[in-house]
Amino acid sequence: MKLRLQFAAAILTAGALALPMGSQAQAPMPKPERVQFAKGTSSKAIKGTLKGDQSRTFLVNLRAGQKMTVKLVSNNASANFNVTGPGAMEAMFIGSVSGNEFADTIPSSGDYKIDLFLMRNAARRNESVSFTITIGATG
């Protein structure tokens, strides 16, 4: 019995290694959109739509000590965003866990990335979302 399990595991591993890397379908990474606030303002509202596995990435340059806010309003509960700090490998805010509003004092200067997307279940069903994401900074 143990030998059969080892044999089956070896066949599955060999089969997985034989698949070409390009066989996994992935959506192309979106080109980041630089967020600039109009003179005399401290926030910007961006409206748009996403469908399926589409996503949008926004970059906002901030100084340490500024307060950043992000608010997402959408017509699909599966729409979420994550916020990642400059050079970070992990998000500092995960919308699917923490909700549709982010507010925090920025610990370090640089470009902060906001990734807007539909959760996997909605993307697989090729659902659409209309959204308004408001990004702000004060201080």
Side-chain angles (χ1 to χ4, degrees):
M1 177 78 162
K2 186 176 181 182
L3 185 57
R4 277 192 232 169
L5 289 175
Q6 289 174 337
F7 181 70
I11 289 175
L12 288 173
T13 302
L17 292 175
L19 290 174
M21 293 301 283
S23 69
Q24 296 176 346
Q26 291 184 357
M29 292 298 293
K31 182 179 179 190
E33 302 170 45
R34 175 74 56 189
V35 176
Q36 299 285 342
F37 304 129
K39 189 171 184 165
T41 67
S42 59
S43 67
K44 182 173 185 174
I46 302 163
K47 295 181 181 203
T49 60
L50 295 176
K51 185 173 182 176
D53 62 359
Q54 293 177 329
S55 62
R56 302 249 321 246
T57 300
F58 305 99
L59 291 177
V60 60
N61 190 273
L62 300 170
R63 294 182 318 275
Q66 284 187 294
K67 183 174 182 177
M68 178 183 184
T69 58
V70 181
K71 182 178 180 180
L72 174 64
V73 176
S74 74
N75 65 349
N76 188 324
S78 291
N80 283 288
F81 69 91
N82 296 339
V83 177
T84 306
M89 297 302 288
E90 294 182 14
M92 60 191 283
F93 176 85
I94 299 173
S96 61
V97 175
S98 301
N100 291 334
E101 293 189 42
F102 166 80
D104 204 355
T105 301
I106 297 305
S108 58
S109 298
D111 283 338
Y112 282 76
K113 183 171 72 166
I114 302 156
D115 292 305
L116 176 62
F117 56 94
L118 280 168
M119 294 294 290
R120 188 177 200 172
N121 61 336
R124 284 184 175 168
R125 290 189 299 265
N126 207 31
E127 291 181 15
S128 295
V129 61
S130 294
F131 67 86
T132 300
I133 190 165
T134 304
I135 301 168
T138 56

